[in-house]
Each structure stands twice: as structure tokens, then as C-alpha cells.
Amino acid sequence: MTRPEIAVINYGAGNLRSVVKAFEHIGYPATVTTDPRKVMAADGVVLPGVGAAGDTMTNLHARGMVDAIATVIAKKRPFFGVCIGLQVLFERSEEDGAECLGLLGGYVRRLPAGVKVPHMGWNQVRLAESHPLFHGIADDSYFYFVHSYYADPTEQSAVVGLTDYGATFASALAQGNLVGTQFHPEKSGSLGLQLYRNFVQRVVGAGD
Amino acid sequence: MLTKRIIPCLDVDAGRVVKGVRFRDHRDAGDPTELAAFYNEQGADELVFYDITASADQRATMVEVVERVSEEVFIPLAVGGGLRSAEDMQRMLLAGADKVSINTAAVQTPTLISEGADRFGSQCIVVGMDAQRVDASRGEGRPVDGVLSRIALEPSSRWEIRTHTGRGGGRATGIDAVKWASYVVEMGAGEIVLNSIDADGTKQGYDLDLTRAVSEAVTVPVVASGGAGEMEHFYDVVEAGKADAVLAASVFHYGTFSIADVKRYLAGRGVPMRL
């Protein structure tokens, strides 16, 4: 594949620009889109995230993105969920009691009392298994987090990376061509860019 | 482990960084993107751009600054100064800022905090506070009419919030700084940047009592600001002051020491750092 089409889903949340600029920076221009058809036609899809689960789900429904995301994942196209974009793939969130997409088994829970919330800043990701998403990235590397809820997957085999903050939670997940991180690669400096590069390799590979 | 963050603050006037970096004369010390890239290389955990542009017609230049920086530097970026409405916040967030910081506007219109948190998420909304020690013997800390009683100064209050501090000392508000911190968090602030007016510019160290009092009063991260002169001051404010992050300007700009120096020093003393 010469030039993979990467679609970044625009559902009205902020921070799209940083994600797009990060892909541009590594040499793979991405397209921001509100069009479910373009999402379904893309070689790789990114669901970025900032905001609350309830609002996110409302916006995804209003823009006809729910079926589009399910289709992309069913077709095993490379898909990257970032932060809230990862959380909404699960069944339900404690945030706003939101019903989520149910594409991954498990729930989204509030970080426990006793630590400052939001979990904001640089924290380590301990690799639970070797995965191509972390190619060239050392175990226990630091990534930038900002969130108050975390995903608690039913399927432990989907967990690629773990992070400790009040609880130990899954900070990186992968199931087939679906990957997701609780941290923000687009805000995690050179290692975050490396992670996006690894994702694009997967996109390119999927087209072969 | 979650690290403590070291954050350089850059003042921007009409699109140019003022107080340039002296030890980098071969580069354009006033260019925000160059400086952001430089601090990123040094290991800055986040960047704060503070707009000190006085004239309203040059305000739009800050949006361009944020756009350019966020295209080149992939670490968190906070923007403060001159934000008065949710629309102002949105403009910066869409330009690429991850957080927006309000200070005087939050005191004048506290609902701006909740409006911003509802629309953009708490994690985007930073409240900057300028606190000053109250010395009753100097006649400070007097009640001010119209202040909500639950945040008003009391005889036991130790610090008062001041506003408009950019203009020569600022104005007293009659608001207790620690109570104000709790209040802004209830309103939806996701982070507090706490500046000590007494310590700011002294290079004698952060106000540890103030920082600890605020950090223990709230459930969100607290960024200490004002007073850094030596590397030890950073250690003191994260340990004794319980700060989650530390902001500094002149020590970095003038090359007293570098961000890399501070981070190595703190790591050597056992503070969790991203090196």
C-alpha cells in the first residue's frame, strides 16, 4: 500500500488537531472526518478522546458513527482508540452511567479514592506481553495520562500494558487489529510518535 | 509511578516570547516554537504559555502561536492570560492547547469554571491563583463586601487571593486562598496553578506552607509557582510542599540551570522523574 488512508473520527470533541498533527509529523497525513462512510472506507481509523463518556456516546450516536465503528472492527481494519476513545469500546462506564459500544467485554471504572484525580502526568507502562504496538519502546517507558476513569477488561489476554495509579489498570490493549491506549500518544513526545508509527505499520501491513 | 512534572512557563507578548533564553543566542530566543522545541529536548514535562499581550487587537496572535507550537512539539500545552469566556477557551483548545488557565476571570465569574468543565471536561480547566500572606498587623485581610461567606477571609486565614497581579501588586479580593482552592475544584477545575505573590521573583524558594495547605485541601493536582532560585527549592516544594508539579520561568530562561539539570538532581534525591 503506497499511501494508507487514516481517518480520525470527529465527533465534536477537542484535541483532534494534536492527533492529526502527530500522524502528519511521522509522515502519514490523516484525515479528520464526520462522515461514517469515510470511516468505513479508511485503511485505519483513530477514535481520539477528550471529554466525558456520556457526551461522547451521545455524539457518536448523533453522527451515525456507532455502526461505522462496529463495521471497521468487524472487518478487522486497524483501529486505535485513545483515552475516552478506548473507554467507549467497552460495555458501560461508571462515568454518567453511560452505555458504551460493547465491542470489548468489561467496564469502565472510576479511579479509586486516595489518589489525586484526574490522574494527570507522566506514568509508566509495564508491558504485559511483547506486542508490535510497542516495537522499539522499552518496558516501563513513560507516557502522558490525563483521565479519571479506566477500562477494566474481562478478557485479560487483551491487556498489553499495565499502569499503577491507585489501582493497577490496563493502559494499553490489543485484540486483533483493535488497539487502544489510556494515555495520549500525541502528547507523549517521541515515544508516543513511535507508537503511532507502529500503528501505521500495522495499517500498511493489513493492506498487503 | 506517576512522576512529578517540571514545567517551564513562557510569557508571550504579541506572538513573541519575552525574557528570551540567554544561553541560546544563536537561535531566535523570541520564537515560541523554537523555545518549545528546546524545552521539549531538555525534558520539560509540559509547557505553559502565558499571554501578556496588552492590546486586544493582537490577541489573535496567541492562537497562531498555539497552532504552530502544537504542530511541532508533542507534549502537553497549557495556555493562560486574557481568557474571559468559554469561547476564548474553545478557541485555544481547538488551536491545539490541552489546557486553558483562568485566574482573574475565575474570581470575577466563577461560573466560567463550571461552564468550561461542562463543555470541555475538567481536565482542560486550570485555575491559576495568586495568593498572598495575610498580615493583620498591616491591616491586610480585611473583609470585602459581596464575597461569598464560605470563601471569605476569616481571622484564621493565612493567605488571600489577589487578582490583576500583572499590574503592580494587584487587587485584594477578601477571599481566603485555601477555601478558594476547594471551591474552584467543586466548580470543576481539574488542576490548580498556585502562585505565591510573596515568593515570586525572590529566588528564595517556593512558599511551602501555602503549597502544602492547598495541596492537602484539594483532590486535584497542584502546580507550585513562584520563588525558584536553586534546584533544592524544587525538591522542597514537592516533598515538604506536596506539590504535584513545579512551574518556573526565569531560572530556566536565564540558564541558572537547565530542566535536565533539575530533573537529574531530583531523581538523584529519590523524586520520581521522567528522564
Side-chain angles (χ1 to χ4, degrees):
Chain A
M1 193 179 298
T2 48
R3 173 78 175 272
E5 290 289 334
I6 297 168
V8 177
I9 299 179
N10 180 359
Y11 55 93
N15 198 34
L16 294 181
R17 190 183 154 82
S18 305
V19 173
V20 171
K21 291 294 167 190
F23 278 100
E24 218 166 82
H25 198 81
I26 60 171
Y28 293 96
T31 313
V32 174
T33 184
T34 55
D35 183 351
R37 286 167 301 181
K38 286 190 176 152
V39 170
M40 287 188 280
D43 300 311
V45 175
V46 181
L47 182 60
V50 163
D55 286 347
T56 302
M57 284 309 300
T58 304
N59 288 328
L60 290 175
H61 277 293
R63 290 164 189 246
M65 285 294 177
V66 171
D67 289 342
I69 292 168
T71 303
V72 168
I73 290 170
K75 286 185 173 172
K76 305 197 186 308
R77 294 257 170 76
F79 182 96
F80 200 137
V82 179
C83 192
I84 197 84
L86 167 68
Q87 294 179 6
V88 294
L89 300 175
F90 288 84
E91 296 168 52
R92 192 179 305 128
S93 175
E94 284 182 7
E95 187 177 21
D96 315 322
E99 284 293 332
C100 297
L101 295 168
L103 298 165
L104 290 172
Y107 297 96
V108 177
R109 307 189 190 285
R110 172 118 183 140
L111 285 166
V115 288
K116 290 201 171 182
V117 174
H119 172 214
M120 189 186 283
W122 298 80
N123 204 336
Q124 286 166 298
V125 174
R126 189 164 71 248
L127 299 181
E129 58 170 275
S130 165
H131 192 276
L133 188 63
F134 283 85
H135 174 76
I137 297 170
D139 195 10
D140 286 331
S141 289
Y142 287 97
F143 293 90
Y144 190 79
F145 289 81
V146 47
H147 64 117
S148 303
Y149 294 81
Y150 66 97
D152 184 5
T154 316
E155 195 56 66
Q156 291 307 306
S157 65
V159 179
V160 171
L162 292 161
T163 295
D164 300 318
Y165 190 70
T168 297
F169 65 89
S171 50
L173 287 134
Q175 192 165 294
N177 273 337
L178 185 168
V179 297
T181 59
Q182 182 55 64
F183 55 85
H184 290 269
E186 70 281 1
K187 289 291 155 187
S188 297
S190 58
L191 292 182
L193 294 175
Q194 176 65 30
L195 204 108
Y196 276 155
R197 219 175 267 124
N198 293 341
F199 173 69
V200 175
Q201 290 307 315
R202 180 167 275 254
V203 174
V204 174
D208 288 343
Chain B
M1 193 187 285
L2 180 68
T3 68
K4 301 290 183 180
R5 288 171 279 151
I6 305 297
I7 306 170
C9 178
L10 297 94
D11 286 348
V12 178
D13 186 3
R16 303 278 298 166
V17 175
V18 295
K19 291 193 265 186
V21 176
R22 275 192 193 158
F23 53 100
R24 282 178 75 81
D25 338 61
H26 62 290
R27 277 209 193 173
D28 180 354
D31 182 67
T33 312
E34 292 248 2
L35 278 171
F38 170 70
Y39 282 129
N40 178 34
E41 285 161 30
Q42 282 277 310
D45 292 308
E46 212 170 296
L47 298 169
V48 172
F49 281 93
Y50 198 80
D51 188 8
I52 58 165
T53 308
S55 72
D57 55 330
Q58 288 185 313
R59 272 283 152 72
T61 57
M62 194 60 182
V63 174
E64 291 161 33
V65 167
V66 173
E67 284 177 352
R68 277 188 288 126
V69 170
S70 65
E71 281 170 21
E72 297 294 330
V73 180
F74 296 95
I75 59 173
L77 178 61
V79 179
L83 305 176
R84 293 280 176 272
S85 65
E87 284 65 41
D88 290 345
M89 295 177 181
Q90 186 175 33
R91 213 168 291 128
M92 289 303 174
L93 295 169
L94 289 177
D98 299 286
K99 307 183 210 179
V100 285
S101 178
I102 52 174
N103 188 327
T104 296
V107 175
Q108 290 170 337
T109 317
T111 50
L112 192 54
I113 305 167
S114 46
E115 191 186 350
D118 287 344
R119 285 182 58 179
F120 315 118
S122 278
Q123 80 288 337
C124 298
I125 309 300
V126 180
V127 172
M129 10 188 298
D130 289 306
Q132 186 169 40
R133 268 179 201 277
V134 171
D135 184 346
S137 68
R138 293 211 305 259
E140 295 165 359
R142 279 179 300 231
V144 170
D145 285 345
V147 176
L148 213 58
S149 61
R150 54 188 286 229
I151 56 171
L153 285 170
E154 293 178 302
S156 63
S157 293
R158 297 179 65 194
W159 300 275
E160 179 176 5
I161 294 292
R162 294 182 80 86
T163 57
H164 302 89
T165 50
R167 294 162 214 155
R171 297 180 201 161
T173 60
I175 296 171
D176 176 293
V178 179
K179 291 181 187 173
W180 173 245
S182 297
Y183 179 73
V184 300
V185 171
E186 275 172 45
M187 294 291 278
E191 187 169 68
I192 286 171
V193 174
L194 174 62
N195 184 52
S196 161
I197 294 172
D198 306 288
D200 197 14
T202 64
K203 299 191 183 297
Q204 298 299 306
Y206 295 86
D207 187 331
L208 305 181
D209 292 339
L210 168 68
T211 309
R212 190 176 55 249
V214 169
S215 189
E216 287 178 343
V218 299
T219 53
V220 302
V222 173
V223 183
S225 164
E230 292 165 34
M231 292 201 279
E232 197 176 357
H233 296 152
F234 289 77
Y235 179 80
D236 293 340
V237 81
V238 297
E239 289 298 319
K242 300 194 171 176
D244 299 286
V246 194
L247 183 138
S250 58
V251 288
F252 298 142
H253 301 322
Y254 298 130
T256 314
F257 40 77
S258 72
I259 290 174
D261 292 337
V262 177
K263 293 184 81 171
R264 274 194 299 268
Y265 167 82
L266 291 175
R269 294 193 67 179
V271 177
M273 281 283 128
R274 176 183 68 114
L275 294 176

